[in-house]
Amino acid sequence: MIQRQVRENWKRPKNINQSLKTEIQINLVPTGEILSASVIKSSGNKAFDESAMSAILKVKSFEGLTMQMQLFDQHFRKFTLVFTPE
Amino acid sequence: MNIFQKFYLTFLVIFLASCSSVSTDRTNDATAISASATGAYSDGGITSNNVLYFAYDRSDINSAGRAKIRNLAKMIKDNDLSVRVEGHCDERGTREYNLALGEQRAKTVAELLIINGVPSSKISTVSYGEEKPVASGSNENSWSKNRRALVKTF
Amino acid sequence: MNFKKLFLITYLIIFFPSVSSQLRIEIKGGVEESISIAVVPMQWNLEIPQEIFIHEVIKSDLESFGEFNVLPPRNMLSLPTTKEEVFYKDWRLLGSDYLVIGNIEFTEIDQEIRVSYTIFDVVKERVIHRGSVLGPLSTLRKMGHKISDKIYARIQGIPGIFSTKIAYIDKPSKSDPNYNLMISDIDGNDSLSLFSSPQPLMSPSWSPDMQSISYVSFEEGTSRIFIQKLSNAERRGLKLEKGINSSPNWAPDGKKISAVLSKSGNPDIFIYDLELSTWLQVTNHFGIDTEPDWSPNSRNILFTSNRSGSPQLYEVNTRTKRIKRLTFEGTYNARGRYLPNGKGIIFVHRQNGVFHIATQNLRTGKIRILTDTRLDESPTVSPNGNVVLYATKDGDKDILAGITLDGKTKFVMPSLKGEAREPSWSPLID
């Protein structure tokens, strides 16, 4: 669900190295809204990193993230998104 | 402050410092200068021009070709002529590889002239590869005409 | 709580275990879509009529290889020329991810102009680059290419190639009985003959500093390698040897040229020292060795050899002279060129009697055929490693065509007069 929302908003640059990988840490509030996002492991390609960041920015808030508070705190308050082209 | 603004702030902290850039470039109107070949080689003084044909990707000569070269050799010796053998290819395959193949064709003919008594000092060879076709067109009819060696005497 | 959702979340947690307790979610793929960019007509502050429109130059550059989708001015809601006039919301509404604005004015120097431009990230609502290009009024098109390069680099993360040049050979035609060594922009504009001869010209190759071109000329009745300076047309013939003198290719340091000589009786690879004017033999085999290309790290030379019975690509270490065969698939693999990162090669590959351009990964040995026309040859790679230009046929006509290395975008090189062959892509310069 999170995957789908991010992937749908992710426009990555064409003609780029297929082995790039960017890790972005996300802080959420229980409503699904994104508090902050930061690159914790850069791919080395700024354009690629930024395209991933843009995808998160476009999502703004994850829909359908209703769950028990305990489960949310455990897994979704802070988590990492790993972006790879293939 | 709504959540989006907060987000935006975090974002600014992460990116703004490192990302916006400034540049100054220059262009110039330097254009390259042209030149042309002066006194380039031409076929002046050639008295005869005989052609031998080859199979695709081959540089060997069939028996009819050998007979032709025997007669040519006799004519060259009788008239004490000099010979220039040019090797050519069809367009298939890469240009530089064809240049090498054209040289093999020219050398095959030169060797047969020497075997038939023409002194090697009277013979020069050159390959033009696929650069000087006599027939245009990407078909076997054109290709077979282009796979050739020219024996030019002067 | 909805059962389905719970299932999904559990699935994610199980599927992406993490060393720490923190959840990791993998995002694979994404939409590899053209990037939408709006390039606003720039404010023209010169009291003379405008002939070249810089936003059109940029549009045509950015759309060359399918990576960008440029919004036409008629679809814009406003035409801002300053940052204050930019309303991000408007551009987001139009689906533009990026926006470029600018203005053009004279400087204090006579006939010199300055193009100032700003690149905005619409999604992040911020300026990502501010730049200016200075130059004579006559170089407006070049200035556009420079800006395209900056936009491309800033958004794609690799250098833009719109200021690079192509060298190629133009064969004789009804209007011109000569062979011509040509250079032009990569879009075919601003073409110029560097050298003209009634005898064949072949194999142009750029010096790494982009100041000179080496090529083969038959003007003396035999093949000979020449170096010509672009700035003053000064020509220098390399020491002529008996037989073939051909296939020049510069070393990355610009001090040596690898080439083919057949003075030993058959074509072998040699290195010419431009300071000493001497030839040094690198390969020595009774078959055909030809078409050398220097590796980007200058350690190896790629070449074609028929030593196995059919033309295949090999690599020779210039120091140890050790030779390694690289291609094994098919019976014709020739005229190889390294990719700029040195990790792969492109070459001519014959399949069912038809010649295509193919690429091979040097680590895995896997080959991929890029083109589907039939007499494709002379591939040359853009210095940023993204695009291949090659010679092919349109009917009986020689044309240049291109394809991105991912195989997704194809194009025919536009606005070239005459018949072009043997393209050679220049290096990147500032």
Side-chain angles (χ1 to χ4, degrees):
Chain A
M1 177 179 41
I2 286 176
Q3 244 180 329
R4 182 179 53 76
Q5 289 178 43
V6 178
R7 197 168 49 215
E8 278 173 3
N9 281 288
W10 185 26
K11 274 196 202 177
R12 63 183 167 83
K14 270 191 182 176
N15 297 341
I16 47 150
N17 186 343
Q18 294 296 307
S19 58
L20 295 177
K21 186 173 174 183
T22 299
E23 294 188 15
I24 295 180
Q25 195 170 70
I26 308 277
N27 284 295
L28 279 191
V29 291
T31 56
E33 276 167 289
I34 300 165
L35 256 188
S36 70
S38 56
V39 175
I40 52 170
K41 210 181 255 173
S42 167
S43 66
N45 180 319
K46 208 153 76 175
F48 185 78
D49 290 355
E50 289 191 17
S51 74
M53 202 48 146
S54 283
I56 296 163
L57 204 62
K58 278 182 183 162
V59 173
K60 271 189 235 169
S61 173
F62 290 106
E63 281 164 25
L65 251 191
T66 42
M67 65 183 80
Q68 282 171 353
M69 207 54 200
Q70 195 197 346
L71 188 64
F72 178 84
D73 282 338
Q74 229 174 346
H75 300 292
F76 292 98
R77 201 163 279 288
K78 187 182 259 180
F79 64 97
T80 304
L81 291 177
V82 183
F83 290 80
T84 51
E86 276 184 347
Chain B
M1 197 189 243
N2 69 30
I3 230 107
F4 185 72
Q5 277 168 331
K6 270 195 227 158
F7 181 90
Y8 189 63
L9 274 183
T10 320
F11 188 78
L12 283 179
V13 173
I14 297 159
F15 277 99
L16 201 65
S18 64
C19 267
S20 182
S21 51
V22 177
S23 67
T24 306
D25 289 290
R26 263 182 188 283
T27 56
N28 59 59
D29 52 3
T31 36
I33 306 293
S34 309
S36 60
T38 47
Y41 169 83
S42 75
D43 272 348
I46 299 290
T47 54
S48 76
N49 200 349
N50 288 277
V51 192
L52 295 138
Y53 294 98
F54 295 83
Y56 176 49
D57 211 11
R58 301 291 293 267
S59 56
D60 51 326
I61 289 185
N62 61 20
S63 52
R66 283 164 190 269
K68 194 171 185 177
I69 291 172
R70 261 196 306 277
N71 293 336
L72 266 171
K74 186 171 181 309
M75 188 270 286
I76 290 162
K77 280 184 294 182
D78 290 351
N79 297 290
D80 194 26
L81 295 172
S82 291
V83 191
R84 173 180 159 94
V85 186
E86 295 180 1
H88 296 269
C89 304
D90 70 34
E91 64 177 348
R92 289 172 295 169
T94 65
R95 290 178 178 276
E96 288 288 354
Y97 191 79
N98 280 339
L99 197 65
L101 183 60
E103 185 183 54
Q104 287 185 349
R105 288 180 178 160
K107 282 192 166 163
T108 306
V109 174
E111 262 171 40
L112 286 171
L113 287 172
I114 293 166
I115 290 168
N116 285 287
V118 179
S120 61
S121 60
K122 294 272 185 186
I123 306 172
S124 68
T125 59
V126 63
S127 172
Y128 283 107
E130 59 175 285
E131 307 304 317
K132 282 188 149 186
V134 283
S136 65
S138 298
N139 51 61
E140 180 52 33
N141 188 31
S142 295
W143 292 334
S144 63
K145 290 186 181 115
N146 291 331
R147 292 189 302 262
R148 69 205 192 277
L150 300 180
V151 182
K152 296 180 167 176
T153 60
F154 52 96
Chain C
M1 186 171 182
N2 180 320
F3 176 77
K4 208 170 153 192
K5 279 176 191 162
L6 181 66
F7 173 80
L8 256 173
I9 291 162
T10 319
Y11 171 80
L12 282 175
I13 295 164
I14 294 165
F15 201 74
F16 303 106
S18 161
V19 276
S20 68
S21 64
Q22 208 187 93
L23 177 68
R24 285 163 63 89
I25 299 177
E26 287 200 40
I27 314 291
K28 282 190 182 182
V31 202
E32 201 194 43
E33 218 175 75
S34 301
I35 293 162
S36 303
I37 186 166
V39 183
V40 180
M42 294 191 181
Q43 188 176 324
W44 181 254
N45 296 324
L46 315 182
E47 280 88 48
I48 47 168
Q50 192 171 4
E51 281 163 10
I52 292 167
F53 292 86
I54 227 164
H55 69 279
E56 285 174 1
V57 175
I58 297 170
K59 180 180 189 328
S60 123
D61 282 348
L62 294 179
E63 287 182 337
S64 306
F65 311 119
E67 295 138 317
F68 288 87
N69 189 358
V70 184
L71 186 77
R74 65 169 183 279
N75 292 358
M76 295 176 184
L77 300 171
S78 59
L79 300 175
T81 57
T82 65
K83 187 171 181 264
E84 289 66 40
E85 293 166 7
V86 172
F87 297 101
Y88 291 110
K89 222 177 107 190
D90 290 358
W91 300 101
R92 245 197 328 269
L93 214 66
L94 293 166
S96 296
D97 302 318
Y98 296 90
L99 167 70
V100 180
I101 63 167
N103 57 73
I104 302 157
E105 66 202 353
F106 278 119
T107 67
E108 313 73 53
I109 300 162
D110 184 41
Q111 289 301 300
E112 188 186 71
I113 58 170
R114 177 191 294 112
V115 182
S116 307
Y117 61 95
T118 309
I119 311 170
F120 298 87
D121 183 326
V122 172
V123 177
K124 291 169 195 147
E125 300 197 359
R126 64 193 178 92
V127 171
I128 54 169
H129 186 80
R130 229 188 288 270
S132 57
V133 192
L134 292 152
L137 180 58
S138 58
T139 62
L140 204 56
R141 189 179 291 280
K142 271 191 196 174
M143 297 171 120
H145 293 323
K146 280 262 184 241
I147 298 170
S148 303
D149 283 340
K150 270 288 179 321
I151 297 170
Y152 189 94
R154 201 58 198 66
I155 298 173
Q156 292 287 84
I158 57 167
I161 49 178
F162 307 107
S163 302
T164 59
K165 296 266 182 189
I166 304 291
Y168 58 93
I169 304 295
D170 194 0
K171 80 168 189 189
S173 64
K174 278 179 200 126
S175 58
D176 183 355
N178 289 322
Y179 292 81
N180 283 286
L181 167 64
M182 306 289 295
I183 54 168
S184 82
D185 287 354
I186 61 166
D187 59 9
N189 276 308
D190 285 341
S191 65
L192 176 80
S193 166
L194 288 186
F195 187 70
S196 179
S197 171
Q199 297 295 333
L201 300 174
M202 283 178 82
S203 303
S205 161
W206 290 87
S207 67
D209 63 6
M210 217 175 146
Q211 302 288 310
S212 306
I213 290 182
S214 66
Y215 57 95
V216 174
S217 171
F218 285 79
E219 69 201 74
E220 296 172 354
T222 177
S223 56
R224 184 172 184 185
I225 299 166
F226 289 86
I227 297 172
Q228 184 170 327
K229 267 211 167 108
L230 267 61
S231 57
N232 58 7
E234 188 188 291
R235 299 176 79 227
R236 168 183 172 192
L238 268 49
K239 187 167 167 249
L240 186 67
E241 300 287 351
K242 193 175 181 312
I244 290 172
N245 291 246
S246 198
S247 215
N249 187 278
W250 297 76
D253 68 4
K255 292 176 183 162
K256 296 181 285 303
I257 282 179
S258 63
V260 172
L261 300 178
S262 64
K263 64 173 180 177
S264 57
N266 56 279
D268 281 311
I269 308 298
F270 286 73
I271 293 175
Y272 192 75
D273 186 313
L274 288 167
E275 280 157 27
L276 305 173
S277 296
T278 51
W279 289 107
L280 173 79
Q281 186 158 2
V282 181
T283 68
N284 189 358
H285 188 276
F286 58 83
I288 294 170
D289 289 349
T290 186
E291 299 167 342
D293 183 50
W294 229 296
S295 69
N297 66 11
S298 74
R299 263 182 237 141
N300 299 305
I301 290 174
L302 180 68
F303 66 100
T304 308
S305 176
N306 69 349
R307 59 188 62 203
S308 68
S310 69
Q312 297 292 342
L313 290 162
Y314 295 78
E315 200 175 46
V316 59
N317 182 300
T318 53
R319 198 171 45 81
T320 65
K321 310 279 190 290
R322 254 190 56 188
I323 289 169
K324 184 181 161 197
R325 181 169 168 179
L326 300 180
T327 56
F328 294 91
E329 212 167 299
T331 54
Y332 201 110
N333 294 299
R335 228 313 295 259
R337 290 287 183 265
Y338 286 100
L339 299 182
N341 64 11
K343 289 178 180 164
I345 52 174
I346 51 162
F347 51 97
V348 175
H349 172 76
R350 187 177 63 192
Q351 193 187 39
N352 306 323
V354 174
F355 296 88
H356 297 301
I357 307 300
T359 176
Q360 180 170 320
N361 181 314
L362 286 181
R363 191 175 50 80
T364 64
K366 234 176 93 179
I367 100 159
R368 196 156 50 86
I369 294 169
L370 289 172
T371 62
D372 51 16
T373 31
R374 36 182 231 117
L375 282 163
D376 307 335
E377 61 176 340
S378 311
T380 181
V381 195
S382 64
N384 68 359
N386 261 8
V387 188
V388 179
L389 200 61
Y390 58 97
T392 186
K393 292 243 167 187
D394 179 15
D396 285 345
K397 197 173 181 261
D398 288 347
I399 60 160
L400 302 186
I403 187 163
T404 51
L405 220 69
D406 63 10
K408 285 179 183 157
T409 308
K410 293 175 188 179
F411 59 95
V412 168
M413 194 161 152
S415 42
L416 275 187
K417 293 173 223 99
E419 296 202 34
R421 53 168 72 148
E422 294 199 87
S424 171
W425 212 310
S426 80
L428 277 174
I429 44 124
D430 283 321

